[in-house]
Amino acid sequence: MEARYADQGRNYSVIGGTILVGLCLSFAALLGRLVHINTALAPKLSALVQNQQIGRTALPARRGSILDAAGRLVAGTRTRPSVFADPVLIDDLDETALRLSMVLAVARERIAEILYENEARRFCWISRLIEPQDAVAVRELKLRGIGVRNESQRYYPMGELLAPTLGIVGREGRGLEGIELAYDEHLRGVDGQRVLVYDGRSRRRPIRARTPLSHPERDGGHIMLTIDGVIQSSVEKNLRAAVESFNAESGVAVVMSPKTGDVLALAQYPSFDANDYGAADVETRRNRVICDAAEPGSTFKSYVACGALIAGVVDPDEEIDCGNGERRFGRRVMHDSSPHGLMTFEGIIAKSSNIGMGVYAERMGNDAIHSIVRAFGFGARLGIRFPGEATGIVLPLSRWTSYSTTSVPIGQEVSATPLQLATAFCAIVNGGELMRPRLVKAILNAESEIVKYYGAPDVVRRVMPRETARYMTEQVLVGVVKNGGGRAAALADWQMLGKTGTAQMPFLDRKGYEPSAYIGSFIGAAPAGDPACVALVMIHRPDTGLGYFGTTVAAPAVRSIMADTLAYFNIPPSSRLASR
Amino acid sequence: MSRLSSPPDGVSTGLVLVAAALMTLGVVMLASTGATLEQSLFETTSWRAPVVRQVAFVGVGLVVMLVCGRIGPGVLLWRVGSWFQPAAIGLVIAVVLLAAVWVPGLGVESHGRRRWVAFGPLGFQPSEVAKPALVVFLAAMLTRRRPDGAGTKPDLTVAMLAVGLVCAMVGVEDFGTAALLALVGGLMMLVRGCPLRTLAAWSIPAVGAFTYLLVSHPYRVKRLMAFTNIWEDPLGAGYHPIQSLAAIASGGWSGRGLGAGMAKYGYLPEGRTDFIFSIICEELGVLGGGMVILLFITFVLLGLATMRRAPMNDGGFARLFAFGVTVTFGLQALMNIAVVTVVAPTKGIALPLVSSGGSGVFCFCAAIGLLAGVPRLRSLPAAAFSGHPAGVPGVLPAMERVR
């Protein structure tokens, strides 16, 4: 026994030393483990830490409103309560469904179905965007696992009014069409975010109310339109009446202020309810005033007539032989809808003689016709800020033929949007300046302070000398209403001027025109001395048995619209018109 | 009283300084875990109490350590060989206290386990007392002098029985500490020169007993299983390991800053005690955690130096005692850090001197004080150990190297 324990000194030094040094090496290994945790394992663990400690809540920005020119709300955002459930907290799903169905407009079976489908989830919607009084009733039930949360909803207090112009907003709060899309960034604002750091206790509470990562939401600004709700409703009412009384397929109308280019109203019928846009198809929702181009027909004569005046091929006293309804131009034989003999320039426009226009056009030549058409803004975007604005078609000069010489002046071989026609007409009646059309009058920030105001008109170019425009307006186009095809548009209290148009509708898939498919249109302005308003109405595919000439189907609508608008603008009557 | 006036010694001073540094860090970290953003720093009511308590513990502990350092382990040799020697008395007290845990009115249940004894407002953990008591008892038993005074004759059987008894009493409620004590006992016997065969033979019933302790508590098996894949049940058995790793990982190299840790907000429930090291790593980074590990390494090396230059004229008692204290302290720290870095399965074992609590501080302070006092034995007159030569050839030169 003694021998075994003899070498004690060695035992202590060697074995004890080895053990203790081994202990130190183990510590060093743990130091390595610390490094390992902070490098190799760090990504997975950091993600875990982020998940369990950081809670992010979106703070939705409030979408700005769209107002009309007088500040009336046409598109707004309202807060509506939505009922949600945490099914895990609910003991008896059927009982909860039954009690909820008594205060909500949702069937008991439907609620039960939702609850059972989401039985294991912590959140599901029961009924969204309900009436506030229903939400109060739900709260009073004091049901466990049922809550009410406020949600934002886009709504259009005027319903169908202006719907194709305002556009729509998608479920995620983004503008998808129309003004809602064009000014989406401004209207939407910037969503905020609340980042909270939570503790690890069973009932999670935030440790800090504020973190540097949080930022508040910035509410969207507002848009004030040039459109006036009163004029708009008159336009929509009269357009609808015209379409319905002529049993037409559809109609479009636009009213503009010629001095500024502001669009005062634009409408199409049939339209849709912006609050239920899902019920309308894309075709119906498209803004046909800005986005649809068609052959304009005889209204186009007024623009080319200006060109003839500028080109100096018109002598107002000269009488043109209109061939009693038929005349040959090169290989082409042209017809008038009613035969005319000798007529002056004014007479040709007033009676809308194709042959008379053909004579002037031949004198002008393709070059001059093309340049005046382009000068009025046809064949190019006008630059109104609206998604899907159409250019219309004006063929390049190189593709014009001898037919074009006589076709274009009578509004064939070209296509234009109603907005282009109205804008060009503004350039005639305002003294010769083409104004860029506008839909927006002012941009306001979230605090309703004006950020940008579009006051001065945006002049694109001068199309013709003031004198030419004056002659066109006060003599030629007034003549259309006084003595020509536009008599149906005449107003009792103000001198109306304008131009009729009746266009045939071309086949969509082949050359030629559909028989008995017409667009009857009238474009007018009043009062003649100093026009305050330009209005265009186009009626598509009226029932030919009831009438299809522009003077029949569109002129009365323009007259009603104009009467309403001028009265609304307090324009004094032009003292018992001289013509009477 | 010549032994009390021996000059302060570098190694001993180092031991005291390391211990003081660890305790100070413990207080700082306790204040840090208490100082949350939930209340102002001036609303100190909720965190002041534990910190003040710990400061008091540390203060008393330091006094205990310095006094024990002055006295030195020589006192343990008083009436050595008799039944009244301090080693035997210490073990008896430890066993009685361990039994007291089960006495109604004395034993206190905490976290579903009975590890505490309360005397009025004062409470402490008997298992903490058991650690130094067992080390001293084993050192004494394994260097017992022969009755004839010629050399030593270790009483292996008594030593084994003592280890078995203490481990069994501790292990019922505290598996980790029992394992630590068994390991310490085995290593002390190994160092004393017990034949490996004998130790192996004894280890068979020991392994059986520990297996029984393991399976008798389902949560221990669950922890062991969870350790194999902590991600399997991240909110259950894997929660503590995952949160501990998450805390360490979110500290990075330099930490989130003192007091800026997140784990203390309920993510790491034992952040003040067993998982204090994770909090240190979270707030002070790998750098801070590495400093703590270096402190423990320093302590172990200083303990080794103390052991190697302890005199042999007491039959090896001082050496074995020095080894025992050092290895208990170092091993416990190693086990704790291994647990919080998920190198070993979770068991309730504190980081010595750093984890908050009084019992551990007092007992380790006493032990470390005695350890620091080991060099004083050199000035004992050779006559105190009649028949034993003062020093053994080869020991002194080795000691010089360490210095």
Side-chain angles (χ1 to χ4, degrees), chain B residues 220-272:
Chain B
R220 290 175 178 161
V221 183
K222 221 166 108 188
R223 279 177 174 180
L224 199 66
M225 297 308 289
F227 172 68
T228 57
N229 182 10
I230 57 171
W231 299 100
E232 198 173 291
D233 184 12
L235 294 176
Y239 184 79
H240 276 83
I242 288 175
Q243 293 303 326
S244 178
L245 286 181
I248 295 169
S250 52
W253 298 107
S254 55
R256 293 178 104 146
L258 198 59
M262 286 295 304
K264 63 191 179 190
Y265 292 102
Y267 289 105
L268 204 49
E270 298 293 330
R272 289 178 179 183

Side-chain angles (χ1 to χ4, degrees), chain A residues 249-252 288 293-299 416 418 421 500-506 516-522 536-542 548-551 553-554:
Chain A
E249 181 191 79
S250 63
V252 294
R288 295 171 54 197
E295 283 198 358
S298 296
T299 48
L421 294 171
T500 57
T502 307
Q504 281 180 278
M505 298 180 77
S516 63
Y518 298 95
I519 301 173
S521 58
F522 187 84
L536 166 67
V537 170
M538 301 173 93
I539 304 298
H540 288 243
R541 291 182 195 272
Y548 60 94
F549 286 111
T551 184
V553 298

Side-chain angles (χ1 to χ4, degrees), chain A residues 8 11-12 33 52 198 200, chain B residues 192-193 243 265 267 307 341:
Chain A
Q8 289 172 353
N11 257 341
Y12 290 125
R33 170 69 173 168
Q52 67 184 8
Y198 286 96
Chain B
R192 177 60 185 86
Q243 293 303 326
Y265 292 102
Y267 289 105
M307 181 189 93
T341 54

Side-chain angles (χ1 to χ4, degrees), chain B residues 62-148:
Chain B
L62 279 170
V63 171
V64 168
M65 183 157 60
L66 291 174
V67 168
C68 288
R70 282 277 158 175
I71 295 167
V75 71
L76 300 174
L77 297 171
W78 182 70
R79 299 198 62 172
V80 69
S82 75
W83 283 112
F84 301 105
Q85 65 172 313
I89 295 169
L91 190 72
V92 170
I93 290 173
V95 168
V96 168
L97 289 175
L98 282 172
V101 168
W102 299 100
V103 176
L106 286 178
V108 178
E109 200 170 310
S110 160
H111 290 82
R113 268 153 258 169
R114 300 181 80 91
R115 290 182 182 176
W116 287 77
V117 170
F119 294 112
L122 293 171
F124 66 94
Q125 282 184 282
S127 62
E128 295 294 342
V129 180
K131 287 174 208 166
L134 188 66
V135 167
V136 170
F137 185 77
L138 289 180
M141 282 303 120
L142 295 173
T143 58
R144 203 172 59 144
R145 267 163 293 185
R146 293 164 65 102
D148 58 3

Side-chain angles (χ1 to χ4, degrees), chain A residues 246-301:
Chain A
F246 292 98
N247 201 13
E249 181 191 79
S250 63
V252 294
V254 55
V255 177
M256 289 180 73
S257 164
K259 294 192 189 89
T260 59
D262 286 354
V263 178
L264 301 173
L266 75 171
Q268 65 199 50
Y269 182 84
S271 185
F272 65 98
D273 185 351
N275 293 310
D276 184 21
Y277 65 80
D281 59 12
V282 180
E283 284 296 303
T284 315
R285 294 205 305 256
R286 188 178 62 241
N287 190 304
R288 295 171 54 197
V289 173
I290 303 176
C291 307
D292 269 13
E295 283 198 358
S298 296
T299 48
F300 210 65
K301 285 173 185 159

